[in-house]
Amino acid sequence: MTSKPELLAPAGSPESLRAAVQNGAGAVYLGWGDFNARRSAKNFSEEEFKEALVYCHIRGVRVFLTLNTLLTDRELPKALETAREVCRLGVDAILVQDWGLFELLRKSLPDLPLHASTQMSVFTSGGACEMAADGCERIVLARENSAEDTAAICRNCPVEVEVFVHGALCMCYSGQCAMSALIGGRSGNRGRCAQPCRLPYGVNGPAKKDYPLSLKDNCLACELGDMAEMGVACLKMEGRMKRPEYVAIITRIYARLLEEDREPTAAELSELEQAFSRSGFTDWYWQGKHGARMFGTRPENAKDPKELFEAAKSAYEKDDLRTVPVRFTAAIRAGAPCALTAEDGTHAVTVTGPVPEAARNRSLTAEEVADRLKKTGGTAYRCESAEVTVDESLSLPASAVNALRRDALAALTEARTAVPPRRELPLPALPDVDCSESAPALTVSVSTAAQITEGLLACGPARVYVPLEVLAELESLPRADTEWCAILPRIWRDRDEVLLKDWLAHAKELGVSAAAVGNIGQLSILRGLDMALYGDYGLNVFNSWSLVYLRDKGLSSACLSFELRGSQMRDLKKVLPAEAIVYGRLPLMITENCLVQNGCGCRLDRNGPAVPENGPCHRPNFLQDRTGAAFPLLPAYGHRTEVQNSRVLWLADRPDWKRLGLAYARLRFTTESPEECVRVMRAYQEGRPAEGEFTRGLYERGVE
């Protein structure tokens, strides 16, 4: 028999938590403190969090804490202490994004269940299995995964798989978006996303009333049966920033669909859309489809459905929609303390009361006792049955029976909310290793074969990064005193891996001896190939402990997150040789949808792994915002799109980047001509100022 998935509801506030629980959630996820991906939600105070745990655990609902943001070295101790405290209180699991926090949690709190947040960008079986091997109990998949992708991961991964079934869709893969950070200094990876994707843009033209980055909300209410069949363990609904009434409505409908094993009615779909939608819903990612019909907006003056919300609120505020069935067994014997056992199907507790007295007038009956035991109103329990044995000619005050019932329910509550035993181990010390350098060697990454010129190689880059799909088209590489490194696609699927391995074999024949790892799932592809592994920016390395984690995974260097300030890069303990991007258009987004295809049509087969170099996606394309800023659009593997920043990062005339302890400093070439690549390389070697518009990135201002 197929088991029903757990229904996981958002709890952005105590009221939303109550709405979720009362309407049938099997678990809730919530934030406490500064380290969660919805820092603008109301979230919970310490006392509210403790109360939430008791409230949920009494009713059989699990509680997951979100600690799913990137953390600096200074923030890690506080985040770890938060984890220790909630572990002691009995939280059921913690969602994590940051590799450093993940490393510390599994070493210092080894019995605390960890869930890999969708911010970890896991979308393949290899990535899921990698996290499972590292101790994750559950993997939250990318929202872009199709039914086919998800079924493959469920078959291949030994741990639980969680899928987003309802709510907002980000345009960029979670964990890979830097648009809000680079444009406004508010990092989505730090829980401060300003949602620039909901603004108007133009593709290859001025922004008017087009919203090419604003996806409709996801709704997979019709797919729950298929998910259960394929082995999905948990269905997650988005909405920690939404109203409690919204949480109540979507939770009630999805819980009912799971319980009754059916698809939604037209009326239920209408309620879901009334509660919140952006021009309706989409299920196209799940169906393996892409295109302009997935996009929609919500008018600024959109009104909440007053009657629907009022009905939802009045229902959950009574706090009696969700009660725990209890079976009572009472024994009232002459000469012995009265006893009451309460059972909930998992726990059984027994309490005792006074010794009954001999009856003076009327004898106590079993029916009277049973009637009093059934009076559980105002509690989280309801009496399912009451079996009472009473000896003849005995008397017991009603107050004693009531006290017996209260004591039994209190004991049952204590059993249901008991904290499991968990070890707390000492915090490990950072390895006594220092891989910092007095000055970094320059490396370069290219996006096209044309950028690999004799002039560029003559400048002596220590390492040249080349996309794997570009290497696949080459018959040879120029002879040069440099290390050739393949950049694997940032996004791919299980079905692509045979081809990727063939391309890697070809790259090795060309003389490529290293690979850039930008996603944890790439490790399973690269192991056994005898190639040096270098961490790329997609891993979001934000602290020293992230370097420790990657060092233990066999990486030989790692590129630091470009959301770090220069001083933060400097202060990291370099237990692994560190690299940073010091020039180039920084990537703002990588999207499953091809923006060129949606905007003006490119008529290419998106099932093809690569985009032909003479295709429309390779011509100069851009996204233009309301200020006139133009963000170049580059084609990415699998007919996806990578959005680049409108201005290049320029630090050549600022020598500070040379004093951060970096082993390598990367020049990232994207839209540059071959000649421009050479000019930039020489400018960095000579420390020249920029020509034209540029940005200092986040090296000085950092992010929230």
Side-chain angles (χ1 to χ4, degrees):
M1 181 178 176
T2 302
S3 60
K4 287 184 173 64
E6 179 177 64
L7 183 62
L8 177 58
S13 67
E15 189 177 1
S16 290
L17 179 136
R18 190 163 73 254
V21 172
Q22 289 298 318
N23 282 279
V28 295
Y29 63 102
L30 51 85
W32 172 27
D34 298 328
F35 310 123
N36 72 90
R38 290 293 182 270
R39 288 165 67 185
S40 297
K42 183 179 178 183
N43 291 315
F44 288 71
S45 68
E46 181 176 349
E47 192 59 36
E48 287 171 338
F49 182 80
K50 293 177 182 177
E51 293 172 356
L53 276 174
V54 173
Y55 181 87
C56 289
H57 286 168
I58 288 175
R59 293 163 176 80
V61 176
R62 300 205 293 167
V63 178
F64 306 147
L65 180 71
T66 56
L67 282 179
N68 55 342
T69 61
L70 299 182
L71 302 164
T72 65
D73 277 346
R74 290 185 178 183
E75 293 168 335
L76 274 176
K78 185 177 179 182
L80 184 59
E81 185 52 40
T82 298
R84 286 186 186 277
E85 186 163 352
V86 298
C87 182
R88 294 169 192 147
L89 292 173
V91 77
D92 294 284
I94 290 182
L95 282 86
V96 185
Q97 173 190 14
D98 188 276
W99 301 112
L101 180 61
F102 178 66
E103 177 80 353
L104 287 174
L105 288 177
R106 65 190 187 132
K107 287 184 175 179
S108 60
L109 298 171
D111 302 320
L112 176 64
L114 300 179
H115 294 180
S117 168
T118 188
Q119 295 287 111
M120 279 187 168
S121 308
V122 176
F123 42 75
T124 63
S125 295
C129 289
E130 196 72 32
M131 297 311 302
D134 283 344
C136 264
E137 178 188 82
R138 177 179 292 179
I139 314 298
V140 188
L141 297 185
R143 292 169 173 87
E144 292 84 353
N145 279 66
S146 68
E148 177 189 350
D149 303 328
T150 304
I153 295 171
C154 288
R155 287 194 303 270
N156 298 327
C157 183
V159 297
E160 296 177 351
V161 169
E162 180 175 306
V163 172
F164 275 91
V165 295
H166 197 91
L169 288 172
C170 295
M171 185 59 180
C172 180
Y173 273 79
S174 291
Q176 301 302 307
C177 186
M179 194 168 197
S180 179
L182 284 163
I183 292 177
R186 294 175 57 183
S187 170
N189 284 316
R190 304 263 292 159
R192 292 293 193 191
C193 181
Q195 295 192 320
C197 54
R198 302 301 179 187
L199 298 174
Y201 298 89
V203 176
N204 293 337
K208 296 180 181 178
K209 293 185 179 180
D210 296 323
Y211 294 83
L213 303 182
S214 181
L215 285 158
K216 295 178 180 178
D217 276 22
N218 194 34
C219 179
L220 302 183
C222 296
E223 314 297 336
L224 307 189
D226 288 344
M227 292 183 190
E229 286 292 333
M230 68 178 63
V232 172
C234 181
L235 311 178
K236 180 178 229 165
M237 299 175 291
E238 181 273 340
R240 279 195 288 152
M241 300 289 289
K242 302 284 200 321
R243 291 179 54 159
E245 295 90 339
Y246 166 88
V247 174
I249 292 164
I250 64 169
T251 304
R252 169 174 52 81
I253 292 174
Y254 275 84
R256 187 181 297 165
L257 299 182
L258 282 174
E259 180 63 29
E260 299 175 6
D261 192 20
R262 63 173 175 82
E263 293 188 4
T265 64
E268 287 168 332
L269 288 173
S270 175
E271 284 191 21
L272 289 173
E273 190 166 340
Q274 289 178 66
F276 190 94
S277 71
R278 291 180 171 89
S279 309
F281 293 120
T282 183
D283 64 355
W284 273 23
Y285 279 152
W286 184 255
Q287 302 297 341
K289 299 177 183 178
H290 311 79
R293 287 175 58 188
M294 296 183 69
F295 293 77
T297 59
R298 184 172 178 82
E300 291 184 8
N301 60 352
K303 294 182 179 179
D304 290 324
K306 185 177 179 180
E307 290 185 8
L308 183 62
F309 276 10
E310 284 180 351
K313 186 171 185 176
S314 64
Y316 73 74
E317 280 190 331
K318 294 176 182 176
D319 219 26
D320 59 2
L321 296 174
R322 180 85 169 265
T323 52
V324 180
V326 178
R327 296 187 301 277
F328 288 121
T329 304
I332 301 175
R333 306 284 188 185
C338 55
L340 177 62
T341 297
E343 299 177 80
D344 63 6
T346 303
H347 309 90
V349 296
T350 300
V351 295
T352 58
V355 177
E357 298 178 354
R360 295 181 180 179
N361 298 313
R362 189 173 61 84
S363 298
L364 182 69
T365 67
E367 290 75 15
E368 287 180 279
V369 175
D371 286 344
R372 292 209 169 271
L373 293 178
K374 291 176 182 177
K375 294 180 179 180
T376 58
T379 74
Y381 302 97
R382 72 177 185 277
C383 178
E384 193 172 60
S385 65
E387 297 180 10
V388 181
T389 302
V390 180
D391 286 352
E392 293 182 358
S393 302
L394 293 179
S395 173
L396 190 68
S399 59
V401 177
N402 292 340
L404 205 62
R405 183 193 66 236
R406 288 194 297 269
D407 290 347
L409 293 182
L412 191 58
T413 292
E414 188 174 345
R416 292 177 67 85
T417 60
V419 178
R422 289 168 174 167
R423 291 169 291 167
E424 288 191 31
L425 304 181
L427 183 65
L430 282 165
D432 188 18
V433 178
D434 184 6
C435 298
S436 59
E437 298 288 345
S438 57
L442 287 176
T443 66
V444 300
S445 67
V446 300
S447 59
T448 67
Q451 291 171 329
I452 308 172
T453 62
E454 290 184 4
L456 182 64
L457 296 174
C459 294
R463 189 182 292 165
V464 179
Y465 296 92
V466 186
L468 187 58
E469 55 267 43
V470 172
L471 291 168
E473 300 295 324
L474 298 179
E475 296 182 0
S476 64
L477 284 170
R479 290 188 176 183
D481 185 18
T482 191
E483 180 181 32
W484 296 98
C485 181
I487 305 174
L488 273 67
R490 291 176 68 188
I491 309 295
W492 76 101
R493 292 294 187 268
D494 285 11
R495 57 184 171 272
D496 300 323
E497 293 190 1
V498 171
L499 177 62
L500 296 182
K501 288 178 180 178
D502 287 343
W503 284 358
L504 282 165
H506 174 70
K508 287 194 69 176
E509 292 174 359
L510 295 178
V512 175
S513 59
V517 178
N519 182 279
I520 199 69
Q522 292 170 350
L523 291 175
S524 62
I525 303 174
L526 292 165
R527 284 199 179 97
L529 293 183
D530 191 28
M531 301 178 81
L533 304 180
Y534 304 135
D536 211 350
Y537 59 83
L539 291 175
N540 292 324
V541 176
F542 223 73
N543 52 61
S544 304
W545 279 102
S546 292
L547 293 174
V548 173
Y549 174 79
L550 297 176
R551 178 174 174 261
D552 292 345
K553 301 296 279 186
L555 273 63
S556 300
S557 74
C559 185
L560 305 179
S561 168
F562 48 76
E563 292 189 17
L564 287 169
R565 291 194 300 273
S567 59
Q568 292 169 325
M569 294 182 182
R570 179 197 64 214
D571 294 341
L572 291 185
K573 184 171 183 183
K574 314 296 193 303
V575 298
L576 198 63
E579 182 177 23
I581 298 173
V582 297
Y583 167 82
R585 294 186 186 273
L586 296 175
L588 304 184
M589 285 187 174
I590 183 159
T591 70
E592 184 68 11
N593 269 271
C594 172
L595 295 180
V596 179
Q597 183 180 49
N598 291 350
C600 46
C602 55
R603 298 181 300 280
L604 291 176
D605 176 14
R606 77 163 293 113
N607 292 321
V611 180
E613 287 201 13
N614 60 350
C617 295
H618 272 279
R619 297 169 191 161
N621 296 293
F622 60 89
L623 190 72
Q624 188 166 317
D625 69 9
R626 296 173 299 172
T627 71
F631 304 89
L633 303 176
L634 296 188
Y637 176 89
H639 199 188
R640 300 175 175 95
T641 298
E642 191 173 85
V643 183
Q644 313 299 317
N645 201 6
S646 60
R647 298 185 179 188
V648 297
L649 170 67
W650 187 275
L651 299 176
D653 55 332
R654 302 291 293 271
D656 296 2
W657 60 271
K658 297 180 181 179
R659 297 193 287 265
L660 304 180
L662 300 171
Y664 304 99
R666 188 187 309 184
L667 311 181
R668 185 173 187 265
F669 298 126
T670 51
T671 60
E672 291 83 357
S673 69
E675 295 76 19
E676 286 176 313
C677 294
V678 176
R679 284 200 297 271
V680 170
M681 181 78 175
R682 289 175 178 165
Y684 267 75
Q685 290 172 328
E686 298 168 8
R688 297 204 301 262
E691 299 176 7
E693 293 186 340
F694 66 93
T695 177
R696 300 296 188 186
L698 299 168
Y699 272 80
E700 295 174 354
R701 61 189 175 106
V703 293
E704 291 183 35

